[in-house]
Amino acid sequence: MDRFLIAADTALRTLFASPSASQPSPAHGLPDATLREADRRLAGALMRVNHVGEVCAQALYMAQACVTRDEALRGSLMDAAREETDHLAWTRERLDALGSRPSLLNPLWFAGAFAIGLAAARVSDRASLGFVVETERQVSEHLQGHLSRLPAEDLPSRAVVERMKEDEERHASQALAAGAMELPAPARWLMRGAARVMTGTAHYI
């Protein structure tokens, strides 16, 4: 019960409070260029999608931490969640700086990701870790795509995305080292399809 109360607190903080980072944003100290309106809107939309990804990451890691009986694994999941909180704060800062806003559907994204995380964790710890690996791999690919689309002049947003990509790849490597199983192809395809729906919607809403 205590774990689920902590998860509920995390949900409220993620969705309704201003996130606080434990580390300075990679954007700090970089000049904010004056972007053309179209570029500003594009950068804001991309950072909104990234912010949604971090909302989902909080839900996934907390759901998995609620279910596992392995205290060492739970500690590792909670550490990753704290790093994702930094990402959440950094992307929110960029949204504010770009005059944009978070997705209006964040409660829906959180609830869906929490349910998926619970389902994966109830199969086994190895399946839960496999889900982490595949999620982080897809997120890394997605962030690489954003680096190719973000305006070259938007150095702060690019710095945040680059740092996030490094962290997500490290999370995948850690999950592999902890014994993650390879997810079956249908599960990977389903995850990619769900991600397309989420990112396509969050780009605008």
Side-chain angles (χ1 to χ4, degrees):
M1 180 60 70
D2 287 348
R3 293 184 180 186
F4 282 95
L5 289 175
I6 292 171
D9 180 68
T10 297
L12 293 174
R13 291 176 183 274
T14 299
L15 297 172
F16 303 113
S18 296
S20 181
S22 63
Q23 302 181 66
S25 169
H28 287 179
L30 295 175
D32 245 328
T34 302
L35 301 174
R36 294 179 303 167
E37 182 59 21
D39 286 341
R40 186 191 63 78
R41 287 199 303 270
L42 173 61
L46 295 176
M47 295 310 292
R48 177 164 52 251
V49 171
N50 292 332
H51 183 265
V52 166
E54 299 310 321
V55 168
C56 292
Q58 290 294 309
L60 288 169
Y61 280 118
M62 291 306 302
Q64 291 166 313
C66 282
V67 172
T68 183
R69 296 178 182 275
D70 184 329
E71 286 302 318
L73 175 57
R74 182 172 185 273
S76 177
L77 291 167
M78 295 298 288
D79 287 343
R82 280 188 283 272
E83 285 196 346
E84 301 291 0
T85 300
D86 288 346
H87 298 175
L88 188 73
W90 299 344
T91 52
R92 181 57 190 266
E93 286 177 9
R94 288 310 301 154
L95 283 173
D96 292 343
L98 291 162
S100 192
R101 57 162 176 75
S103 172
L104 300 176
L105 301 178
N106 273 343
L108 175 64
W109 306 135
F110 188 99
F114 193 87
I116 292 170
L118 278 181
R122 288 188 182 280
V123 174
S124 69
D125 283 341
R126 291 187 68 235
S128 180
L129 288 167
F131 188 78
V132 169
V133 171
E134 184 60 27
T135 297
E136 299 293 25
R137 282 174 176 168
Q138 293 187 19
V139 169
S140 177
E141 293 173 9
H142 154 85
L143 293 174
Q144 183 60 50
H146 279 199
L147 286 172
S148 69
R149 298 180 64 194
L150 279 167
E153 302 86 352
D154 189 0
L155 298 179
S157 294
R158 297 182 68 83
V160 168
V161 171
E162 286 170 355
R163 173 61 183 278
M164 288 167 58
K165 183 174 181 292
E166 292 174 4
D167 290 346
E168 308 303 2
E169 290 171 351
R170 178 165 44 79
H171 292 164
S173 296
Q174 290 171 339
L176 273 173
M181 64 176 283
E182 182 76 14
L183 295 186
R188 299 197 302 271
W189 298 336
L190 183 61
M191 290 170 65
R192 287 189 181 276
R196 288 193 193 98
V197 172
M198 183 193 76
T199 56
T201 304
H203 190 93
Y204 302 101
I205 302 175

